[in-house]
Amino acid sequence: MEIDKIDELKSFLNVLPPVGFCCVYGSSLHPNNSDKSSMVDFIIGVSDPKQWHSENMELNEDHYASWMVPLGGAKLITQVADKIGVGVHFNPFVTWNDKMLKYGVVRMHDLVQDVLHWERFYLSGRLQKPVHILVDNLDIGDVNSVNLRAAVSAALLLLPSKFTEEDLYSKICSLSYMGDLRMLFAEDKNKVKRIVEGQFGLFQSMYRPFLKEYEAKELLTFSLPNSHQANISQDCSLSMTHSLVHSLPPLVRRKMGMKQGEMQVLKDSGRVLHEVMIGSREEAAKSMQKIIRGTVMVSSARQAVSGFLTAGGVNATRYLANKVRKAWKSRT
């Protein structure tokens, strides 16, 4: 992203209370995007959302009506986000500097938990796709490497023995949409394809280090028919499947173990580990996919209800209408 654009986006943070983490994403950041009216999306991490929202109300009192729903204030916003939603409160249709913005505020602890464990598979899914980090006081970018490695493992489990690099990134991108209720009626049916094609180079910069690591271990084999992307072959043996499952977040492995059973493995250190029993690669892939789909389905439903309650009926309806319009456009 151009330095001028980065500085412009960073300047938005100057009118907000201090943040611990901030990244931007969305179609407006695609290198080939020509629609300057596209909404720019921010994810903002703070230590105490309730306190942050209260400070934001004081700082931006004149703009408060368009930025946040005053009914119930910071306490209601935080409670709804935590107890009904997935810990994130989004403010859509914020007008600033002749731009349309949407920003989501999340507790830093909740962000880290989702990135490491896929508890809600909401922001962790977003961070598996290209974002541009503006502020990172707690090294979330480094923590996210665990999330990216797990995403590669999950995608490889769902792919056949031979595939292209684009297939891999498309599968990674689709993980967080499996079970998402919005995909039924309120999302572009070609969304995954558009994201991957529009940001292919960014996906490569994110995931090539992990692919090279797998190649060095002779788990993946690359051939380069052209300079754009590679054809990839993977080892589909049971030992490789065990390795991929072992790279998934602990919570996912625990849920898989509850469905498929666990076995105790004694390590050289004397430590006893519980590992998922795997009868076949197909069985492991189906089990993992079912767990991810269920998590995403619940999270998407909870976040939709939370958004309606805290963003206000008008804003929520407007946002949904925009989504539905794009969805129907992609289907006609």
Side-chain angles (χ1 to χ4, degrees), residues 215-229:
E215 182 183 29
K217 295 178 180 179
E218 299 184 348
L219 300 175
L220 296 179
T221 304
F222 289 79
S223 61
L224 293 166
N226 55 60
S227 59
H228 180 57
Q229 65 167 307

Side-chain angles (χ1 to χ4, degrees), residues 48-112:
D48 185 342
K50 180 181 175 182
Q51 179 181 342
W52 189 91
H53 286 305
S54 296
E55 293 175 4
N56 192 28
M57 294 176 194
E58 294 178 7
L59 283 173
N60 298 290
E61 185 176 358
D62 293 341
H63 303 284
Y64 188 70
S66 63
W67 280 25
M68 201 178 293
V69 179
L71 181 61
K75 182 178 181 180
L76 174 65
I77 288 169
T78 306
Q79 286 181 339
V80 171
D82 289 343
K83 297 181 180 180
I84 297 178
V86 293
V88 190
H89 169 66
F90 281 101
N91 292 325
F93 304 114
V94 175
T95 303
W96 174 82
N97 242 19
D98 297 323
K99 289 184 178 297
M100 188 71 75
L101 312 177
K102 178 183 74 175
Y103 66 90
V105 181
V106 61
R107 185 179 288 102
M108 290 297 299
H109 175 267
D110 294 342
L111 174 61
V112 171

Side-chain angles (χ1 to χ4, degrees), residues 5 8-9 12 24-29 33 35-42 66-67 91-104 315 318-319 322 325-326:
K5 194 167 188 177
E8 181 184 14
L9 294 173
F12 173 62
V24 291
Y25 66 97
S27 59
S28 64
L29 303 180
N33 180 68
D35 183 7
K36 302 304 180 184
S37 65
S38 299
M39 189 179 297
V40 180
D41 301 272
F42 288 72
S66 63
W67 280 25
N91 292 325
F93 304 114
V94 175
T95 303
W96 174 82
N97 242 19
D98 297 323
K99 289 184 178 297
M100 188 71 75
L101 312 177
K102 178 183 74 175
Y103 66 90
N315 271 345
R318 180 184 173 190
Y319 185 72
N322 282 352
R325 184 171 63 252
K326 288 182 180 179

